Amino acid sequence: QVQLVESGGGLVQAGNSLRLSCVVSGRTVSNYATGWFRQAPGKEREFVASITWSGGVTYYADSVNGRFTISRDNAKNTVYLQMNSLKSEDTAVYYCAASGYSGGDYLKRRGNYHYWGQGTQVTVSS
């Protein structure tokens, strides 16, 4: 079993930055790739970014590529999402999730993640 706890959300003005954190605990956490997804009101949960367990490969949605950066510190069992140049359309609940897949397009699909956090709200005011 793997547990994930997100933090770092809040209210920010457009153009500013936020950093989300996700603490991962449980057995063999380093064997899991980790991803960030988001869900805006009335919309489906969508892929944002993911990172392999080694941290060597990252994947991004086109909508955030160049603005967001995912990273991980396995010594701290923590995954980060640095969000820069935030836009109002980035407003959503952000979820951290763990996947047993090692990499590739599998890590862009919500159904391939087996464990989820409770989410943290990010609100960007224009």
PDB file of all heavy atoms in Angstrom, residues 15 24 30 37 49-51 58-59 63 76 100-101 114 124 126:
ATOM      1  N   GLY A  15       0.382  34.949 -13.205  1.00  0.00           N
ATOM      2  CA  GLY A  15       1.760  35.345 -13.451  1.00  0.00           C
ATOM      3  C   GLY A  15       2.714  34.955 -12.346  1.00  0.00           C
ATOM      4  O   GLY A  15       3.935  34.945 -12.566  1.00  0.00           O
ATOM      5  N   VAL A  24       5.257  10.774  -0.279  1.00  0.00           N
ATOM      6  CA  VAL A  24       4.852   9.411  -0.593  1.00  0.00           C
ATOM      7  C   VAL A  24       5.372   8.487   0.494  1.00  0.00           C
ATOM      8  O   VAL A  24       6.553   8.543   0.863  1.00  0.00           O
ATOM      9  CB  VAL A  24       5.411   8.973  -1.961  1.00  0.00           C
ATOM     10  CG1 VAL A  24       4.875   7.606  -2.354  1.00  0.00           C
ATOM     11  CG2 VAL A  24       5.067  10.010  -3.027  1.00  0.00           C
ATOM     12  N   SER A  30      10.103   3.826  -3.841  1.00  0.00           N
ATOM     13  CA  SER A  30      10.984   4.188  -4.940  1.00  0.00           C
ATOM     14  C   SER A  30      10.696   3.376  -6.191  1.00  0.00           C
ATOM     15  O   SER A  30      11.241   3.666  -7.252  1.00  0.00           O
ATOM     16  CB  SER A  30      12.444   3.993  -4.528  1.00  0.00           C
ATOM     17  OG  SER A  30      12.689   2.644  -4.219  1.00  0.00           O
ATOM     18  N   PHE A  37      -2.039  15.253 -11.502  1.00  0.00           N
ATOM     19  CA  PHE A  37      -3.238  15.453 -12.305  1.00  0.00           C
ATOM     20  C   PHE A  37      -4.000  16.629 -11.708  1.00  0.00           C
ATOM     21  O   PHE A  37      -3.747  17.020 -10.570  1.00  0.00           O
ATOM     22  CB  PHE A  37      -4.110  14.199 -12.295  1.00  0.00           C
ATOM     23  CG  PHE A  37      -3.528  13.054 -13.073  1.00  0.00           C
ATOM     24  CD1 PHE A  37      -2.456  12.323 -12.574  1.00  0.00           C
ATOM     25  CD2 PHE A  37      -4.041  12.708 -14.311  1.00  0.00           C
ATOM     26  CE1 PHE A  37      -1.902  11.280 -13.290  1.00  0.00           C
ATOM     27  CE2 PHE A  37      -3.503  11.657 -15.036  1.00  0.00           C
ATOM     28  CZ  PHE A  37      -2.435  10.943 -14.520  1.00  0.00           C
ATOM     29  N   ALA A  49       1.653  16.290 -15.272  1.00  0.00           N
ATOM     30  CA  ALA A  49       3.071  15.958 -15.397  1.00  0.00           C
ATOM     31  C   ALA A  49       3.335  14.648 -14.667  1.00  0.00           C
ATOM     32  O   ALA A  49       2.588  14.269 -13.760  1.00  0.00           O
ATOM     33  CB  ALA A  49       3.945  17.064 -14.808  1.00  0.00           C
ATOM     34  N   SER A  50       4.411  13.958 -15.064  1.00  0.00           N
ATOM     35  CA  SER A  50       4.799  12.736 -14.373  1.00  0.00           C
ATOM     36  C   SER A  50       6.310  12.579 -14.430  1.00  0.00           C
ATOM     37  O   SER A  50       6.989  13.199 -15.264  1.00  0.00           O
ATOM     38  CB  SER A  50       4.106  11.511 -14.968  1.00  0.00           C
ATOM     39  OG  SER A  50       4.430  11.371 -16.337  1.00  0.00           O
ATOM     40  N   ILE A  51       6.810  11.724 -13.540  1.00  0.00           N
ATOM     41  CA  ILE A  51       8.242  11.513 -13.431  1.00  0.00           C
ATOM     42  C   ILE A  51       8.497  10.060 -13.078  1.00  0.00           C
ATOM     43  O   ILE A  51       7.775   9.466 -12.273  1.00  0.00           O
ATOM     44  CB  ILE A  51       8.838  12.472 -12.376  1.00  0.00           C
ATOM     45  CG1 ILE A  51      10.356  12.423 -12.364  1.00  0.00           C
ATOM     46  CG2 ILE A  51       8.255  12.213 -10.989  1.00  0.00           C
ATOM     47  CD1 ILE A  51      10.993  13.556 -11.566  1.00  0.00           C
ATOM     48  N   THR A  58      10.878  12.808 -17.492  1.00  0.00           N
ATOM     49  CA  THR A  58       9.659  13.539 -17.118  1.00  0.00           C
ATOM     50  C   THR A  58       8.750  13.703 -18.327  1.00  0.00           C
ATOM     51  O   THR A  58       9.211  13.668 -19.488  1.00  0.00           O
ATOM     52  CB  THR A  58      10.006  14.930 -16.561  1.00  0.00           C
ATOM     53  OG1 THR A  58      10.773  15.658 -17.540  1.00  0.00           O
ATOM     54  CG2 THR A  58      10.811  14.828 -15.270  1.00  0.00           C
ATOM     55  N   TYR A  59       7.482  13.881 -18.061  1.00  0.00           N
ATOM     56  CA  TYR A  59       6.471  14.045 -19.098  1.00  0.00           C
ATOM     57  C   TYR A  59       5.558  15.205 -18.686  1.00  0.00           C
ATOM     58  O   TYR A  59       5.278  15.385 -17.500  1.00  0.00           O
ATOM     59  CB  TYR A  59       5.623  12.776 -19.261  1.00  0.00           C
ATOM     60  CG  TYR A  59       6.438  11.527 -19.486  1.00  0.00           C
ATOM     61  CD1 TYR A  59       6.922  10.781 -18.422  1.00  0.00           C
ATOM     62  CD2 TYR A  59       6.729  11.091 -20.781  1.00  0.00           C
ATOM     63  CE1 TYR A  59       7.676   9.635 -18.621  1.00  0.00           C
ATOM     64  CE2 TYR A  59       7.479   9.938 -20.990  1.00  0.00           C
ATOM     65  CZ  TYR A  59       7.940   9.211 -19.906  1.00  0.00           C
ATOM     66  OH  TYR A  59       8.686   8.085 -20.123  1.00  0.00           O
ATOM     67  N   SER A  63      -0.277  21.865 -22.219  1.00  0.00           N
ATOM     68  CA  SER A  63      -0.781  23.110 -21.617  1.00  0.00           C
ATOM     69  C   SER A  63       0.133  23.671 -20.533  1.00  0.00           C
ATOM     70  O   SER A  63       0.032  24.853 -20.187  1.00  0.00           O
ATOM     71  CB  SER A  63      -2.175  22.878 -21.033  1.00  0.00           C
ATOM     72  OG  SER A  63      -2.134  21.849 -20.064  1.00  0.00           O
ATOM     73  N   LYS A  76      13.821  12.023   0.470  1.00  0.00           N
ATOM     74  CA  LYS A  76      12.742  12.597   1.278  1.00  0.00           C
ATOM     75  C   LYS A  76      11.387  12.019   0.912  1.00  0.00           C
ATOM     76  O   LYS A  76      10.362  12.457   1.455  1.00  0.00           O
ATOM     77  CB  LYS A  76      12.711  14.118   1.103  1.00  0.00           C
ATOM     78  CG  LYS A  76      13.956  14.828   1.597  1.00  0.00           C
ATOM     79  CD  LYS A  76      13.825  16.332   1.435  1.00  0.00           C
ATOM     80  CE  LYS A  76      15.054  17.049   1.952  1.00  0.00           C
ATOM     81  NZ  LYS A  76      14.951  18.530   1.789  1.00  0.00           N
ATOM     82  N   GLY A 100       2.562   1.950 -10.998  1.00  0.00           N
ATOM     83  CA  GLY A 100       3.520   0.869 -11.082  1.00  0.00           C
ATOM     84  C   GLY A 100       4.182   0.775 -12.449  1.00  0.00           C
ATOM     85  O   GLY A 100       5.119  -0.013 -12.625  1.00  0.00           O
ATOM     86  N   TYR A 101       3.742   1.559 -13.423  1.00  0.00           N
ATOM     87  CA  TYR A 101       4.370   1.562 -14.732  1.00  0.00           C
ATOM     88  C   TYR A 101       5.697   2.322 -14.660  1.00  0.00           C
ATOM     89  O   TYR A 101       5.825   3.294 -13.932  1.00  0.00           O
ATOM     90  CB  TYR A 101       3.450   2.201 -15.766  1.00  0.00           C
ATOM     91  CG  TYR A 101       2.286   1.311 -16.134  1.00  0.00           C
ATOM     92  CD1 TYR A 101       1.072   1.392 -15.465  1.00  0.00           C
ATOM     93  CD2 TYR A 101       2.408   0.382 -17.164  1.00  0.00           C
ATOM     94  CE1 TYR A 101       0.019   0.573 -15.792  1.00  0.00           C
ATOM     95  CE2 TYR A 101       1.347  -0.441 -17.494  1.00  0.00           C
ATOM     96  CZ  TYR A 101       0.156  -0.340 -16.807  1.00  0.00           C
ATOM     97  OH  TYR A 101      -0.892  -1.158 -17.143  1.00  0.00           O
ATOM     98  N   HIS A 114      -2.399   3.824  -9.496  1.00  0.00           N
ATOM     99  CA  HIS A 114      -3.055   2.914  -8.575  1.00  0.00           C
ATOM    100  C   HIS A 114      -3.342   3.544  -7.215  1.00  0.00           C
ATOM    101  O   HIS A 114      -4.196   3.051  -6.483  1.00  0.00           O
ATOM    102  CB  HIS A 114      -2.183   1.673  -8.393  1.00  0.00           C
ATOM    103  CG  HIS A 114      -1.725   1.099  -9.705  1.00  0.00           C
ATOM    104  ND1 HIS A 114      -0.485   1.362 -10.238  1.00  0.00           N
ATOM    105  CD2 HIS A 114      -2.357   0.317 -10.616  1.00  0.00           C
ATOM    106  CE1 HIS A 114      -0.363   0.746 -11.411  1.00  0.00           C
ATOM    107  NE2 HIS A 114      -1.487   0.116 -11.659  1.00  0.00           N
ATOM    108  N   VAL A 124      -6.060  30.512  -9.159  1.00  0.00           N
ATOM    109  CA  VAL A 124      -5.294  31.586  -9.777  1.00  0.00           C
ATOM    110  C   VAL A 124      -6.259  32.711 -10.142  1.00  0.00           C
ATOM    111  O   VAL A 124      -7.177  32.507 -10.934  1.00  0.00           O
ATOM    112  CB  VAL A 124      -4.546  31.089 -11.024  1.00  0.00           C
ATOM    113  CG1 VAL A 124      -3.683  32.220 -11.601  1.00  0.00           C
ATOM    114  CG2 VAL A 124      -3.693  29.885 -10.687  1.00  0.00           C
ATOM    115  N   SER A 126      -7.197  36.339 -11.811  1.00  0.00           N
ATOM    116  CA  SER A 126      -6.724  37.142 -12.951  1.00  0.00           C
ATOM    117  C   SER A 126      -6.783  38.626 -12.641  1.00  0.00           C
ATOM    118  O   SER A 126      -7.333  39.036 -11.631  1.00  0.00           O
ATOM    119  CB  SER A 126      -7.558  36.827 -14.191  1.00  0.00           C
ATOM    120  OG  SER A 126      -8.915  37.050 -13.929  1.00  0.00           O
TER     121      SER A 126
END
